[in-house]
Amino acid sequence: MIYIDSHDMAGWWTLVIALQVVFITTYYLWSKKRTRSHVLRSNEKPIEWNPKPLVEYDVEVEEPLIMGTLNENVLNFGSTSFLSLDKNETIIDSALKAMEKYGVGSCGPRGFYGTIDVHLELEERLAKFLEVEETCVYSYGFSTIASAIPSYAKRKDIVFVDECVWFAIQKGLDASRSKICYFKHNDMNDLERQLLEASEKKELNSRRRAFLIVEAIYLNTGKMCPLVRAVELARKFKLRIILDESLSIGVLGKHGRGITEYLNIPRDEIDLIVGSLEHSFATIGGFCAGTHFIVEHQRLSGLGYCFSASLPPMLTQAAISALDILEEKPSIIEELNDRSKMMNKALAKLDHYRYSGDEISPIKHVYLKDDLTDRLKHSYLRNIAAYCFEKGVAFAVSAYLRDVEHNCPEPSIRLVASRKIDNENLNLICTLLETAYIEVGPKPDLQPVQ
Amino acid sequence: MAAKKNGFVDIGDGDSLKTTKKSYEQDEKLINGKIKDRKNGYMKSTQSNGSTPKMTQVEGGGLPKIDWSKYDTFPGSFEKCSLLTAVLTHVGLYVLMFLGFVNQLIFKPKAATEKNREGYAPLYDPFEQFFSRYVYRRVRHCFNRPICSAPGAEVVLKEWESTDHNWTFKFTGVERRCVNLGSYNYLGFAGGEGAEGGCARAVADAVRRYGMAQGSSRAELGTTPLHLELERAVADFLGVEDAIVFGMGFATNTLSIPGLIGPGTLVLSDENNHASLILGLRLSRATVRVFRHNDVRHAEELARAALAERRWANVLLVVEGVYSMEGSVAALEGLVALKQALGLHLYVDEAHSVGALGSTGRGALQRCRVLAAHVDVLMGTFTKSFRAAGGYIAGPRRLVQWLRAHGHAHGYAHSMSCGVAAQVLAAVRALDAAPGRARVRALAQNTAYFRRRLRELGVVTFGHDDSPVVPMLVYTFSKMAATVERLTRAGVATVGVGFPATPLNMARIRFCLSASHTREQLDRCLLAVEQVADELGLRYSRRRPLAEPRPS
């Protein structure tokens, strides 16, 4: 490819010499490649080849709890539909109407006739709702941030990231192949220390893109990010911020616009906001929001945007209808925040468990207090969840890939506060958790064998 | 060592690798000294230079020979363009770039610029930005065109216009009904209003029963009986033991491959593999070498060289059933023979072929007369033929269980929407009934007819005669835009593909056929193509007008 740089036009002679160098090097490398390519051959010696099978042994898979098999009234404390819009009649009606008009699938990526007018409407509505210039809609929550990160951060860049970010961010970082510096969870002093170190070592300079990636509410801990301080540091050290608001859109702020509204941070301080439609909006998909300059880039280089079929129109319509409800009745956000606070109060009374999660966060993690290995804790928690499921309460034991996670969190039950729960439910789950602990939890007198 | 520096974990310290230290070091030097992994995480093979594979090493190593004449290894028809065309295409592109360059110097771009970020490193690569502003922008109106109907046999486009040379677009309010040769609606399930009563009812019932989405991953609380039923149905459909389904087709590859393989595996990947496979392989940190498109002999050469290196735990061939940009069908018969002779593994991505190929829609495997048991991993999507969303991986129970335990999607990505699952289930079942089989036959007939007529027109088409993806080569960027414009005006919605999705001088128009196209609609399209070909001079083919069915 030719490289054009308007500021640095080469002189005539420089060009001639450069061309000569290029030709000679190409020829040299090319001829060398030719001669070397046969060195690797086996030279008649027998090859010992015992290929490993792709899958070497059978694995036991934990059977997931199957929803919808027990009666319909199972209390669901694990699904992240915070605003309880997943079975909302108006949403379902409008989504089904869209399905009748457009069918289910979109039969193409966004570039190739997969852009249906509902996609444009959703993008426009989301942009208006979040008060940003532009948004783009992805067809899967996981792929949104995992594609957004590598479309900006490249091999030579440096990324500062909280050590407790969820798995999709870690995969996005893997794909970007940038230099990654993890700082301690929510510890802005540690971040500052690392930034100072990096700038001393000249790792931060005006030629190298630097990013800061944080989550507004951490899926893995339920804690909120101290974003004010993070923004200050980012401005000081010239970092661009990518903020994952998956769990805070529709949850934080008076209108549900997320952590920027809640902490009163100007929207343009954040370079890219990434959100998911799979939580508050109770459908499938995700979106990126920001200035036109930033978001437009993804339409050509976000892999999950360009190369994947677009979001099915009925799910898109469901998101639009959810947005309608949110804009019409912002009071549901306050309701949700109340429930989150109520849940914290209830969980504080638990005897056998610890919990983590900010007051206002709808995600809480409940851990076993016992001092056991992670594997044991996980299996005990699964027993507890299965016990509760039989009693009509569904809990999600966080599923982590223990050996793939960067910093695998402690096994926990991920509790979700949603708008539909009340004090009675909370008391019920607390007593249920306690009985489950006594029935199927770890026994203090029995030493675990392992 | 280049391999370590670039984030690839050093391999060879696994206990199962019975290599002497000496040979290992030697190999390391030879192979990894030459890695070119700037592009897509690929390590280019060291053998990629030979013009014809020389089987000098066939005798060596005691590995069985393969008699290729016994198998169908036809890679698809890829007519070479004349030197003149190639030169003109390149010159055309350079002129385009030069004009863009001048444009950039003289006029202030109307593109958005960044605010409040002085002193920050530039966010984008300057060339990338130049390309998208001054080259891609000229043809921008051909892409991303919004539609406002179901993507059935016909589709309604929203007309737009630009008064400022494609910087911005405005909708004119006019809607244009076109024959749809752009969507992946191979089996015609995207019939539009009222055309799929059975499916629509199933979807509505599922949504009302389970809600729009489960709000949880499959391993947590996202599994419903519907998902289990779907997995069973897909496995039965493909004739394998088990299957696992995912909510997004792209994610099926990117989230499963890293769970399946890791450093120590050598992947031989077709050069035209889809971005999702490339990303999945990159995330898996396996070593990747690329073989020439659909060239089993080149794959064999690479595999033999790899075995001679004696340092790989296993070797995986990754191919697609139908290549969406080339219109070619993987030479599966040859690949299976190669795999069995040398003890390799085979991963087939049937995104475009499942439902669309084979006498009863079982995909490329059925078409190539290959048993599902001979392929290690069968992957496919529901987006195309089944007109839904998501994907599956099918195979032996052991593999599927492994993916449930180690794949990334099962535990982290939210489960497939129940409405979508119901649609897939209905479509899969419909394929086993008479009307469904009729769809598969209709698609095959449409494909054969359309391809034959295009050949008669004298335009260059790529791929196999029975592939429903038909790329028509126009070579230059500008001709691609002009063709798409004219075809749209004539009422034919198609897709133009150019750099970076294809090589620089290989811009093409892609037609995707559907079972629901009538002969009359196809004739209308062909007439339009003929007119455009005359006007723009697209009759590049130097083959005789009606050549024998399969020249090689």
PDB file of all heavy atoms in Angstrom, chain A residues 8-35:
ATOM      1  N   ASP A   8       4.821  15.498   5.086  1.00  0.00           N
ATOM      2  CA  ASP A   8       6.191  15.052   4.957  1.00  0.00           C
ATOM      3  C   ASP A   8       6.391  14.485   3.570  1.00  0.00           C
ATOM      4  O   ASP A   8       6.454  13.298   3.370  1.00  0.00           O
ATOM      5  CB  ASP A   8       6.458  14.005   6.051  1.00  0.00           C
ATOM      6  CG  ASP A   8       7.916  13.606   6.079  1.00  0.00           C
ATOM      7  OD1 ASP A   8       8.723  14.292   5.436  1.00  0.00           O
ATOM      8  OD2 ASP A   8       8.215  12.596   6.713  1.00  0.00           O
ATOM      9  N   MET A   9       6.436  15.340   2.572  1.00  0.00           N
ATOM     10  CA  MET A   9       6.611  14.867   1.217  1.00  0.00           C
ATOM     11  C   MET A   9       8.088  14.632   0.966  1.00  0.00           C
ATOM     12  O   MET A   9       8.945  15.474   1.237  1.00  0.00           O
ATOM     13  CB  MET A   9       6.079  15.906   0.229  1.00  0.00           C
ATOM     14  CG  MET A   9       4.585  15.930   0.148  1.00  0.00           C
ATOM     15  SD  MET A   9       3.928  14.433  -0.583  1.00  0.00           S
ATOM     16  CE  MET A   9       4.273  14.755  -2.294  1.00  0.00           C
ATOM     17  N   ALA A  10       8.371  13.450   0.471  1.00  0.00           N
ATOM     18  CA  ALA A  10       9.770  13.110   0.266  1.00  0.00           C
ATOM     19  C   ALA A  10      10.313  13.818  -0.958  1.00  0.00           C
ATOM     20  O   ALA A  10       9.598  14.075  -1.912  1.00  0.00           O
ATOM     21  CB  ALA A  10       9.880  11.611   0.087  1.00  0.00           C
ATOM     22  N   GLY A  11      11.586  14.121  -0.931  1.00  0.00           N
ATOM     23  CA  GLY A  11      12.231  14.733  -2.085  1.00  0.00           C
ATOM     24  C   GLY A  11      12.428  13.701  -3.180  1.00  0.00           C
ATOM     25  O   GLY A  11      12.289  12.504  -2.965  1.00  0.00           O
ATOM     26  N   TRP A  12      12.757  14.166  -4.342  1.00  0.00           N
ATOM     27  CA  TRP A  12      12.862  13.321  -5.523  1.00  0.00           C
ATOM     28  C   TRP A  12      13.898  12.216  -5.330  1.00  0.00           C
ATOM     29  O   TRP A  12      13.638  11.033  -5.539  1.00  0.00           O
ATOM     30  CB  TRP A  12      13.194  14.226  -6.704  1.00  0.00           C
ATOM     31  CG  TRP A  12      13.472  13.509  -7.979  1.00  0.00           C
ATOM     32  CD1 TRP A  12      14.639  13.462  -8.654  1.00  0.00           C
ATOM     33  CD2 TRP A  12      12.547  12.736  -8.740  1.00  0.00           C
ATOM     34  NE1 TRP A  12      14.518  12.721  -9.782  1.00  0.00           N
ATOM     35  CE2 TRP A  12      13.224  12.249  -9.876  1.00  0.00           C
ATOM     36  CE3 TRP A  12      11.195  12.397  -8.573  1.00  0.00           C
ATOM     37  CZ2 TRP A  12      12.619  11.462 -10.829  1.00  0.00           C
ATOM     38  CZ3 TRP A  12      10.599  11.620  -9.527  1.00  0.00           C
ATOM     39  CH2 TRP A  12      11.297  11.156 -10.651  1.00  0.00           C
ATOM     40  N   TRP A  13      15.085  12.627  -4.875  1.00  0.00           N
ATOM     41  CA  TRP A  13      16.161  11.655  -4.736  1.00  0.00           C
ATOM     42  C   TRP A  13      15.915  10.678  -3.595  1.00  0.00           C
ATOM     43  O   TRP A  13      16.211   9.497  -3.724  1.00  0.00           O
ATOM     44  CB  TRP A  13      17.514  12.358  -4.540  1.00  0.00           C
ATOM     45  CG  TRP A  13      18.055  12.766  -5.867  1.00  0.00           C
ATOM     46  CD1 TRP A  13      18.152  14.020  -6.357  1.00  0.00           C
ATOM     47  CD2 TRP A  13      18.520  11.886  -6.885  1.00  0.00           C
ATOM     48  NE1 TRP A  13      18.643  14.004  -7.632  1.00  0.00           N
ATOM     49  CE2 TRP A  13      18.891  12.675  -7.988  1.00  0.00           C
ATOM     50  CE3 TRP A  13      18.648  10.504  -6.996  1.00  0.00           C
ATOM     51  CZ2 TRP A  13      19.372  12.156  -9.157  1.00  0.00           C
ATOM     52  CZ3 TRP A  13      19.145   9.982  -8.167  1.00  0.00           C
ATOM     53  CH2 TRP A  13      19.511  10.786  -9.235  1.00  0.00           C
ATOM     54  N   THR A  14      15.348  11.190  -2.558  1.00  0.00           N
ATOM     55  CA  THR A  14      15.010  10.293  -1.447  1.00  0.00           C
ATOM     56  C   THR A  14      14.105   9.180  -1.935  1.00  0.00           C
ATOM     57  O   THR A  14      14.257   8.018  -1.589  1.00  0.00           O
ATOM     58  CB  THR A  14      14.251  11.073  -0.364  1.00  0.00           C
ATOM     59  OG1 THR A  14      14.564  12.430  -0.477  1.00  0.00           O
ATOM     60  CG2 THR A  14      14.560  10.538   1.013  1.00  0.00           C
ATOM     61  N   LEU A  15      13.187   9.577  -2.793  1.00  0.00           N
ATOM     62  CA  LEU A  15      12.210   8.626  -3.289  1.00  0.00           C
ATOM     63  C   LEU A  15      12.896   7.527  -4.108  1.00  0.00           C
ATOM     64  O   LEU A  15      12.640   6.339  -3.934  1.00  0.00           O
ATOM     65  CB  LEU A  15      11.195   9.378  -4.160  1.00  0.00           C
ATOM     66  CG  LEU A  15       9.862   8.679  -4.335  1.00  0.00           C
ATOM     67  CD1 LEU A  15       9.122   8.689  -3.011  1.00  0.00           C
ATOM     68  CD2 LEU A  15       9.049   9.388  -5.382  1.00  0.00           C
ATOM     69  N   VAL A  16      13.801   7.959  -4.999  1.00  0.00           N
ATOM     70  CA  VAL A  16      14.499   6.993  -5.856  1.00  0.00           C
ATOM     71  C   VAL A  16      15.277   6.012  -4.994  1.00  0.00           C
ATOM     72  O   VAL A  16      15.208   4.794  -5.172  1.00  0.00           O
ATOM     73  CB  VAL A  16      15.427   7.727  -6.830  1.00  0.00           C
ATOM     74  CG1 VAL A  16      16.311   6.718  -7.564  1.00  0.00           C
ATOM     75  CG2 VAL A  16      14.609   8.519  -7.818  1.00  0.00           C
ATOM     76  N   ILE A  17      15.999   6.555  -4.002  1.00  0.00           N
ATOM     77  CA  ILE A  17      16.816   5.687  -3.163  1.00  0.00           C
ATOM     78  C   ILE A  17      15.911   4.739  -2.371  1.00  0.00           C
ATOM     79  O   ILE A  17      16.164   3.539  -2.293  1.00  0.00           O
ATOM     80  CB  ILE A  17      17.694   6.534  -2.225  1.00  0.00           C
ATOM     81  CG1 ILE A  17      18.728   7.291  -3.064  1.00  0.00           C
ATOM     82  CG2 ILE A  17      18.404   5.662  -1.208  1.00  0.00           C
ATOM     83  CD1 ILE A  17      19.406   8.398  -2.328  1.00  0.00           C
ATOM     84  N   ALA A  18      14.823   5.286  -1.874  1.00  0.00           N
ATOM     85  CA  ALA A  18      13.905   4.455  -1.088  1.00  0.00           C
ATOM     86  C   ALA A  18      13.375   3.309  -1.934  1.00  0.00           C
ATOM     87  O   ALA A  18      13.336   2.166  -1.497  1.00  0.00           O
ATOM     88  CB  ALA A  18      12.755   5.304  -0.573  1.00  0.00           C
ATOM     89  N   LEU A  19      13.007   3.620  -3.180  1.00  0.00           N
ATOM     90  CA  LEU A  19      12.492   2.580  -4.057  1.00  0.00           C
ATOM     91  C   LEU A  19      13.522   1.490  -4.281  1.00  0.00           C
ATOM     92  O   LEU A  19      13.204   0.302  -4.231  1.00  0.00           O
ATOM     93  CB  LEU A  19      12.066   3.181  -5.394  1.00  0.00           C
ATOM     94  CG  LEU A  19      10.688   3.820  -5.398  1.00  0.00           C
ATOM     95  CD1 LEU A  19      10.393   4.423  -6.761  1.00  0.00           C
ATOM     96  CD2 LEU A  19       9.634   2.761  -5.064  1.00  0.00           C
ATOM     97  N   GLN A  20      14.774   1.924  -4.499  1.00  0.00           N
ATOM     98  CA  GLN A  20      15.840   0.941  -4.709  1.00  0.00           C
ATOM     99  C   GLN A  20      15.950   0.025  -3.508  1.00  0.00           C
ATOM    100  O   GLN A  20      16.004  -1.200  -3.632  1.00  0.00           O
ATOM    101  CB  GLN A  20      17.171   1.657  -4.922  1.00  0.00           C
ATOM    102  CG  GLN A  20      17.388   2.030  -6.367  1.00  0.00           C
ATOM    103  CD  GLN A  20      18.672   2.784  -6.560  1.00  0.00           C
ATOM    104  OE1 GLN A  20      19.323   3.158  -5.595  1.00  0.00           O
ATOM    105  NE2 GLN A  20      19.025   3.013  -7.808  1.00  0.00           N
ATOM    106  N   VAL A  21      15.962   0.643  -2.345  1.00  0.00           N
ATOM    107  CA  VAL A  21      16.101  -0.148  -1.121  1.00  0.00           C
ATOM    108  C   VAL A  21      14.955  -1.157  -1.026  1.00  0.00           C
ATOM    109  O   VAL A  21      15.166  -2.341  -0.773  1.00  0.00           O
ATOM    110  CB  VAL A  21      16.125   0.781   0.110  1.00  0.00           C
ATOM    111  CG1 VAL A  21      16.024  -0.034   1.384  1.00  0.00           C
ATOM    112  CG2 VAL A  21      17.370   1.621   0.098  1.00  0.00           C
ATOM    113  N   VAL A  22      13.751  -0.679  -1.301  1.00  0.00           N
ATOM    114  CA  VAL A  22      12.587  -1.564  -1.196  1.00  0.00           C
ATOM    115  C   VAL A  22      12.729  -2.735  -2.152  1.00  0.00           C
ATOM    116  O   VAL A  22      12.573  -3.893  -1.780  1.00  0.00           O
ATOM    117  CB  VAL A  22      11.291  -0.772  -1.499  1.00  0.00           C
ATOM    118  CG1 VAL A  22      10.129  -1.724  -1.732  1.00  0.00           C
ATOM    119  CG2 VAL A  22      11.005   0.178  -0.367  1.00  0.00           C
ATOM    120  N   PHE A  23      13.105  -2.452  -3.403  1.00  0.00           N
ATOM    121  CA  PHE A  23      13.213  -3.524  -4.388  1.00  0.00           C
ATOM    122  C   PHE A  23      14.270  -4.536  -4.001  1.00  0.00           C
ATOM    123  O   PHE A  23      14.048  -5.736  -4.052  1.00  0.00           O
ATOM    124  CB  PHE A  23      13.519  -2.944  -5.773  1.00  0.00           C
ATOM    125  CG  PHE A  23      12.273  -2.465  -6.460  1.00  0.00           C
ATOM    126  CD1 PHE A  23      12.149  -1.158  -6.884  1.00  0.00           C
ATOM    127  CD2 PHE A  23      11.200  -3.343  -6.657  1.00  0.00           C
ATOM    128  CE1 PHE A  23      10.999  -0.722  -7.496  1.00  0.00           C
ATOM    129  CE2 PHE A  23      10.039  -2.901  -7.274  1.00  0.00           C
ATOM    130  CZ  PHE A  23       9.937  -1.591  -7.688  1.00  0.00           C
ATOM    131  N   ILE A  24      15.413  -4.019  -3.587  1.00  0.00           N
ATOM    132  CA  ILE A  24      16.502  -4.941  -3.270  1.00  0.00           C
ATOM    133  C   ILE A  24      16.141  -5.802  -2.068  1.00  0.00           C
ATOM    134  O   ILE A  24      16.328  -7.022  -2.089  1.00  0.00           O
ATOM    135  CB  ILE A  24      17.814  -4.154  -3.038  1.00  0.00           C
ATOM    136  CG1 ILE A  24      18.254  -3.521  -4.361  1.00  0.00           C
ATOM    137  CG2 ILE A  24      18.909  -5.077  -2.527  1.00  0.00           C
ATOM    138  CD1 ILE A  24      19.324  -2.489  -4.219  1.00  0.00           C
ATOM    139  N   THR A  25      15.571  -5.182  -1.065  1.00  0.00           N
ATOM    140  CA  THR A  25      15.189  -5.971   0.116  1.00  0.00           C
ATOM    141  C   THR A  25      14.142  -7.014  -0.240  1.00  0.00           C
ATOM    142  O   THR A  25      14.226  -8.159   0.183  1.00  0.00           O
ATOM    143  CB  THR A  25      14.574  -5.061   1.203  1.00  0.00           C
ATOM    144  OG1 THR A  25      14.934  -3.744   0.939  1.00  0.00           O
ATOM    145  CG2 THR A  25      14.969  -5.488   2.583  1.00  0.00           C
ATOM    146  N   THR A  26      13.161  -6.604  -1.038  1.00  0.00           N
ATOM    147  CA  THR A  26      12.121  -7.554  -1.412  1.00  0.00           C
ATOM    148  C   THR A  26      12.740  -8.745  -2.128  1.00  0.00           C
ATOM    149  O   THR A  26      12.450  -9.896  -1.833  1.00  0.00           O
ATOM    150  CB  THR A  26      11.091  -6.898  -2.349  1.00  0.00           C
ATOM    151  OG1 THR A  26      10.908  -5.566  -1.960  1.00  0.00           O
ATOM    152  CG2 THR A  26       9.789  -7.648  -2.340  1.00  0.00           C
ATOM    153  N   TYR A  27      13.618  -8.448  -3.075  1.00  0.00           N
ATOM    154  CA  TYR A  27      14.221  -9.515  -3.847  1.00  0.00           C
ATOM    155  C   TYR A  27      15.015 -10.442  -2.931  1.00  0.00           C
ATOM    156  O   TYR A  27      14.925 -11.656  -3.009  1.00  0.00           O
ATOM    157  CB  TYR A  27      15.132  -8.924  -4.923  1.00  0.00           C
ATOM    158  CG  TYR A  27      15.813 -10.004  -5.735  1.00  0.00           C
ATOM    159  CD1 TYR A  27      15.069 -10.742  -6.666  1.00  0.00           C
ATOM    160  CD2 TYR A  27      17.143 -10.309  -5.538  1.00  0.00           C
ATOM    161  CE1 TYR A  27      15.664 -11.753  -7.381  1.00  0.00           C
ATOM    162  CE2 TYR A  27      17.745 -11.322  -6.250  1.00  0.00           C
ATOM    163  CZ  TYR A  27      17.003 -12.046  -7.178  1.00  0.00           C
ATOM    164  OH  TYR A  27      17.595 -13.059  -7.864  1.00  0.00           O
ATOM    165  N   TYR A  28      15.743  -9.818  -2.021  1.00  0.00           N
ATOM    166  CA  TYR A  28      16.597 -10.584  -1.118  1.00  0.00           C
ATOM    167  C   TYR A  28      15.741 -11.518  -0.260  1.00  0.00           C
ATOM    168  O   TYR A  28      15.969 -12.721  -0.190  1.00  0.00           O
ATOM    169  CB  TYR A  28      17.383  -9.609  -0.247  1.00  0.00           C
ATOM    170  CG  TYR A  28      18.206 -10.261   0.829  1.00  0.00           C
ATOM    171  CD1 TYR A  28      19.382 -10.943   0.510  1.00  0.00           C
ATOM    172  CD2 TYR A  28      17.820 -10.178   2.166  1.00  0.00           C
ATOM    173  CE1 TYR A  28      20.138 -11.527   1.494  1.00  0.00           C
ATOM    174  CE2 TYR A  28      18.578 -10.766   3.153  1.00  0.00           C
ATOM    175  CZ  TYR A  28      19.738 -11.448   2.812  1.00  0.00           C
ATOM    176  OH  TYR A  28      20.475 -12.030   3.792  1.00  0.00           O
ATOM    177  N   LEU A  29      14.707 -10.951   0.352  1.00  0.00           N
ATOM    178  CA  LEU A  29      13.852 -11.752   1.232  1.00  0.00           C
ATOM    179  C   LEU A  29      13.164 -12.852   0.455  1.00  0.00           C
ATOM    180  O   LEU A  29      13.045 -13.977   0.885  1.00  0.00           O
ATOM    181  CB  LEU A  29      12.812 -10.854   1.898  1.00  0.00           C
ATOM    182  CG  LEU A  29      13.358  -9.891   2.932  1.00  0.00           C
ATOM    183  CD1 LEU A  29      12.252  -8.986   3.431  1.00  0.00           C
ATOM    184  CD2 LEU A  29      13.968 -10.664   4.096  1.00  0.00           C
ATOM    185  N   TRP A  30      12.741 -12.488  -0.739  1.00  0.00           N
ATOM    186  CA  TRP A  30      11.985 -13.418  -1.563  1.00  0.00           C
ATOM    187  C   TRP A  30      12.851 -14.619  -1.934  1.00  0.00           C
ATOM    188  O   TRP A  30      12.455 -15.760  -1.845  1.00  0.00           O
ATOM    189  CB  TRP A  30      11.497 -12.669  -2.794  1.00  0.00           C
ATOM    190  CG  TRP A  30      10.667 -13.479  -3.707  1.00  0.00           C
ATOM    191  CD1 TRP A  30       9.396 -13.901  -3.492  1.00  0.00           C
ATOM    192  CD2 TRP A  30      11.045 -13.963  -4.983  1.00  0.00           C
ATOM    193  NE1 TRP A  30       8.953 -14.614  -4.575  1.00  0.00           N
ATOM    194  CE2 TRP A  30       9.946 -14.662  -5.499  1.00  0.00           C
ATOM    195  CE3 TRP A  30      12.214 -13.857  -5.757  1.00  0.00           C
ATOM    196  CZ2 TRP A  30       9.964 -15.259  -6.742  1.00  0.00           C
ATOM    197  CZ3 TRP A  30      12.234 -14.448  -7.006  1.00  0.00           C
ATOM    198  CH2 TRP A  30      11.126 -15.152  -7.494  1.00  0.00           C
ATOM    199  N   SER A  31      14.080 -14.326  -2.351  1.00  0.00           N
ATOM    200  CA  SER A  31      14.936 -15.423  -2.783  1.00  0.00           C
ATOM    201  C   SER A  31      15.299 -16.300  -1.592  1.00  0.00           C
ATOM    202  O   SER A  31      15.406 -17.511  -1.691  1.00  0.00           O
ATOM    203  CB  SER A  31      16.196 -14.886  -3.434  1.00  0.00           C
ATOM    204  OG  SER A  31      16.874 -14.080  -2.508  1.00  0.00           O
ATOM    205  N   LYS A  32      15.441 -15.678  -0.434  1.00  0.00           N
ATOM    206  CA  LYS A  32      15.794 -16.441   0.749  1.00  0.00           C
ATOM    207  C   LYS A  32      14.673 -17.394   1.154  1.00  0.00           C
ATOM    208  O   LYS A  32      14.901 -18.540   1.507  1.00  0.00           O
ATOM    209  CB  LYS A  32      16.053 -15.475   1.902  1.00  0.00           C
ATOM    210  CG  LYS A  32      17.382 -15.773   2.560  1.00  0.00           C
ATOM    211  CD  LYS A  32      17.665 -14.821   3.652  1.00  0.00           C
ATOM    212  CE  LYS A  32      18.781 -15.392   4.491  1.00  0.00           C
ATOM    213  NZ  LYS A  32      19.016 -14.594   5.671  1.00  0.00           N
ATOM    214  N   LYS A  33      13.474 -16.910   1.042  1.00  0.00           N
ATOM    215  CA  LYS A  33      12.300 -17.703   1.387  1.00  0.00           C
ATOM    216  C   LYS A  33      12.248 -18.949   0.526  1.00  0.00           C
ATOM    217  O   LYS A  33      12.000 -20.051   0.965  1.00  0.00           O
ATOM    218  CB  LYS A  33      11.064 -16.844   1.128  1.00  0.00           C
ATOM    219  CG  LYS A  33       9.890 -17.223   1.966  1.00  0.00           C
ATOM    220  CD  LYS A  33       8.805 -16.231   1.707  1.00  0.00           C
ATOM    221  CE  LYS A  33       7.984 -16.007   2.946  1.00  0.00           C
ATOM    222  NZ  LYS A  33       6.997 -14.977   2.760  1.00  0.00           N
ATOM    223  N   ARG A  34      12.518 -18.765  -0.751  1.00  0.00           N
ATOM    224  CA  ARG A  34      12.503 -19.866  -1.694  1.00  0.00           C
ATOM    225  C   ARG A  34      13.452 -20.983  -1.260  1.00  0.00           C
ATOM    226  O   ARG A  34      13.110 -22.146  -1.244  1.00  0.00           O
ATOM    227  CB  ARG A  34      12.973 -19.364  -3.082  1.00  0.00           C
ATOM    228  CG  ARG A  34      11.850 -18.929  -3.948  1.00  0.00           C
ATOM    229  CD  ARG A  34      11.109 -20.170  -4.401  1.00  0.00           C
ATOM    230  NE  ARG A  34       9.806 -19.817  -4.910  1.00  0.00           N
ATOM    231  CZ  ARG A  34       9.576 -19.583  -6.200  1.00  0.00           C
ATOM    232  NH1 ARG A  34      10.545 -19.645  -7.079  1.00  0.00           N
ATOM    233  NH2 ARG A  34       8.369 -19.291  -6.582  1.00  0.00           N
ATOM    234  N   THR A  35      14.683 -20.591  -0.937  1.00  0.00           N
ATOM    235  CA  THR A  35      15.668 -21.623  -0.669  1.00  0.00           C
ATOM    236  C   THR A  35      15.408 -22.303   0.663  1.00  0.00           C
ATOM    237  O   THR A  35      15.694 -23.468   0.827  1.00  0.00           O
ATOM    238  CB  THR A  35      17.081 -21.021  -0.656  1.00  0.00           C
ATOM    239  OG1 THR A  35      17.030 -19.879   0.189  1.00  0.00           O
ATOM    240  CG2 THR A  35      17.532 -20.616  -2.043  1.00  0.00           C
TER     241      THR A  35
END
